[in-house]
Amino acid sequence: MESGSSSGGFRLHEELELQEFQDKFVIRSKESPSDGFSIGRREGNIESLAVAEDASSTSPSKTTTIYGVVGTIRLLAGNYVLVITSREEAGTFLGFPVYRVNSMKFLPCNDALKLSTCQEKRDEAYFMALLKTVESTPGLYYSYGTDITLNLQRRHRLMDGWMTKPIWKQADPRFVWNKNLMVELIECKLDGFAIPLLQGSFQAAPLELKGLPATITLISRRCTRRLGTRMWRRGANLEGDTANFIETEQILEAESFKSSLLQIRGSIPLLWEQIVDLSYKPRLRVINHEETSKVVERHFHDLSQRYGETMVLDLTDRHGDEGQLGAAYASEVEKLPNVRYVSFDFHHICGSSNFENLEVLYEEISEDFEKQGYFLVDAEGTILEEQKGIIRANCIDCLDRTNVTQSFLAQKSLNIQLRRIGVLVPTESFSTFSDNYGKFRTLWAEQGDELSLEYAGTHALKGDLVRYGRQTVVGMIRDGMSALSRYYLNNFQDGIRQDAIDLVSGHYTINRNGASPFQLNGFESISYLPVASALLVGTLTATTLSLQQAGRSAQQFISSALWAGVAAGVMAMVKANGRQLCSRPRLCGLL
């Protein structure tokens, strides 16, 4: 089923043919037409191609080209197969092309739906609406020839023969977005069709340093253990997994050397929440729990096992709600061995434009940062340097301030790496090569935008600090628009997005014999916000009109006062019930 690559490793089927019959879908490799499988359209059962062809000799009603099978998900009344319908090459990883998913489509195998009850049909309709949301999931990447979830240093530590395993077996399960969707393909031994998708970012750019060709690649890998949206997945769960946990690897290929720097980010690993309530900035609340210390300990134990000694960079404000959360974080981290906590109030020290003030932070951490090092191998694969520790950065969202800081540290490490391999002399800096430095900044800015789209739904804020080293007027306007978009999405869209994520990631399990989840939580699909908004607009309009005539008689004045009172009452009702008026997850809620 699999064909060998140039390096002798496992290779997935690339272009596939999708044939649609009245009773089934058939998917086969274009390169090896005998390799494939069928999925029955009634209940979604998968069969080998040989069995399927023996059972039918009719011609397909439609034939199209697809570029991969993401996986399957079984709902109440059938199976749904997710396929990649378009892609584009994003760059190469260790010589293998890497593709970005441009579009996906679910193939419904649910003919049995007609036999379902009315409630099952309503539930299935909501689940199918969630699948439509999944089809537009941003930031998905993959390669047919190699796994892209493992960082360079870890790959070199693996045993001989590892790369001959099926690609799904090579992958780090933390970073496989479709891990739950691939289960049925794996059970049916369809290894050549099981594509591990990475959600995050993949950016690459060619460089020319003193006439020497080089390549810089930036890969961000989003962890799936606590996957979700900005406001509905904050902090940690009881296992110590944090929201928006991302491993970012910057790879430099130059002069027959390969070097790599790893950094990680993730939500503050306490139990805390920030539930949307129609206010622009909902209050943060730290949850007092007897397991809090254990949660923090589990989180950092996992990091130390994977990355070595950890240095925490907490970029949150030292005052207000952020200050209280940061203080609680510092208190817990101080109990742990081999973890250094550094607080850096980014907003106070850097403001909105003083990017160079990050030098203050670097002076404080440079000794430990440089001691952690980076990974370096030569052309023969001999390991010359190993990264011995990791920087774990966070702000509140782990997006904007975090991305600015990580790009700054990546540049510092890049200087050290280039001097180590002899491209730069000790007095030279990468930033003096303006064309290359511009490409470097663009990579980090575009990565920041992509990661922000996945978690918050908008482009990153403070992108100009990464791209230009300063804030621009256009950037300020763009940040303002993004901030307003985040408010709208977080309050009125993210509940549905969270449900979609929980469904495909397996955090919510379909129970065909249980009660409807929508009856259990007592939340119907109707949104009361339009009603409240209409009442508010109506009463404010009536108040304004009556005030214009208030001087004509005492009766008009009383009418104005009454309408103003009704408007104030509606506003108070909206404020008091803000949480109920927002889009909330209906499947898992807060986890």
Side-chain angles (χ1 to χ4, degrees), residues 126 495 499 517-518 521 523-525 584-589:
Y126 183 72
D499 277 347
F518 314 120
N521 64 22
F523 188 92
E524 296 301 326
S525 60
R584 301 173 63 86
R586 302 170 67 185
L587 298 183
C588 297

Side-chain angles (χ1 to χ4, degrees), residues 218-506:
L218 196 59
I219 310 174
S220 284
R221 306 172 173 106
R222 179 182 297 280
C223 182
T224 61
R225 290 177 175 174
R226 189 160 166 74
L227 206 56
T229 59
R230 177 174 174 245
M231 290 299 191
W232 292 111
R233 288 297 175 267
R234 294 290 208 190
N237 58 22
L238 291 175
E239 288 71 42
D241 306 316
T242 62
N244 205 26
F245 183 90
I246 298 169
E247 175 191 277
T248 296
E249 181 174 27
Q250 178 178 281
I251 299 173
L252 173 70
E253 297 176 75
E255 284 284 88
S256 301
F257 294 96
K258 291 187 182 73
S259 60
S260 157
L261 174 73
L262 287 176
Q263 299 184 75
I264 54 176
R265 67 177 79 184
S267 192
I268 291 177
L270 302 177
L271 304 174
W272 63 280
E273 63 184 16
Q274 188 180 21
I275 299 180
V276 290
D277 58 4
L278 298 182
S279 62
Y280 179 73
K281 191 174 183 180
R283 296 293 304 270
L284 303 176
R285 186 175 80 89
V286 180
I287 300 170
N288 292 321
H289 196 285
E290 61 184 8
E291 288 283 305
T292 293
S293 294
K294 291 284 188 184
V295 167
V296 179
E297 184 180 341
R298 289 176 191 128
H299 178 74
F300 282 99
H301 176 74
D302 183 58
L303 296 188
S304 67
Q305 293 295 302
R306 296 179 185 278
Y307 302 107
E309 290 191 2
T310 305
M311 188 194 317
V312 172
L313 295 188
D314 184 2
L315 307 172
T316 57
D317 299 346
R318 290 183 180 174
H319 303 287
D321 285 357
E322 289 192 17
Q324 293 178 19
L325 181 60
Y329 186 23
S331 175
E332 292 296 338
V333 173
E334 286 170 0
K335 302 174 186 177
L336 303 175
N338 301 320
V339 179
R340 180 186 174 190
Y341 175 88
V342 177
S343 175
F344 183 79
D345 189 333
F346 187 99
H347 284 149
H348 177 70
I349 299 172
C350 295
S352 61
S353 59
N354 297 316
F355 181 67
E356 65 276 4
N357 285 357
L358 282 170
E359 290 288 352
V360 175
L361 171 64
Y362 193 70
E363 288 176 9
E364 184 177 355
I365 68 170
S366 59
E367 184 177 348
D368 283 346
F369 177 62
E370 292 171 17
K371 191 183 298 181
Q372 287 182 353
Y374 51 90
F375 181 72
L376 177 67
V377 292
D378 62 16
E380 287 73 42
T382 303
I383 297 175
L384 306 177
E385 303 278 354
E386 287 193 285
Q387 186 169 338
K388 305 174 187 68
I390 197 83
I391 295 277
R392 185 202 190 279
N394 72 269
C395 45
I396 291 298
D397 298 328
C398 304
L399 295 174
D400 314 316
R401 289 171 277 184
T402 299
N403 207 59
V404 173
T405 304
Q406 285 194 340
S407 68
F408 176 82
L409 295 176
Q411 180 197 333
K412 291 292 187 181
S413 180
L414 191 58
N415 283 331
I416 296 170
Q417 295 168 38
L418 288 169
R419 291 165 189 157
R420 169 68 173 80
I421 63 177
V423 175
L424 298 182
V425 298
T427 56
E428 288 181 314
S429 173
F430 178 72
S431 61
T432 60
F433 298 86
S434 57
D435 289 346
N436 293 311
Y437 189 41
K439 290 179 180 179
F440 168 87
R441 284 179 151 177
T442 298
L443 289 186
W444 274 93
E446 291 181 351
Q447 178 220 230
D449 282 341
E450 197 160 20
L451 296 181
S452 182
L453 279 169
E454 294 159 17
Y455 188 52
T458 72
H459 287 163
L461 309 183
K462 300 180 176 65
D464 278 359
L465 290 183
V466 179
R467 200 180 296 269
Y468 308 116
R470 56 185 173 80
Q471 185 71 282
T472 66
V473 174
V474 173
M476 291 174 66
I477 295 172
R478 186 169 55 242
D479 283 357
M481 295 298 292
S482 291
L484 290 174
S485 295
R486 281 186 185 182
Y487 172 81
Y488 173 78
L489 293 170
N490 296 163
N491 281 275
F492 308 124
Q493 294 289 322
D494 280 356
I496 294 172
R497 283 181 62 213
Q498 186 63 56
D499 277 347
I501 292 168
D502 288 335
L503 182 63
V504 297
S505 63

Side-chain angles (χ1 to χ4, degrees), residues 10-12 143-148 165-171 191 194 196:
F10 191 96
R11 186 171 181 84
L12 294 164
S143 174
Y144 298 105
T146 192
D147 165 61
I148 60 174
K165 293 176 178 287
I167 290 181
W168 69 265
K169 284 188 177 181
Q170 300 175 29
D191 293 343

Side-chain angles (χ1 to χ4, degrees), residues 37 51 84 99 138 152 164 174 193 213-214 236 238 301 341 479 514 589:
F37 59 98
V51 173
I84 298 170
Y99 296 91
L152 207 57
T164 62
R174 294 180 302 159
F193 295 90
L238 291 175
H301 176 74
Y341 175 88
D479 283 357

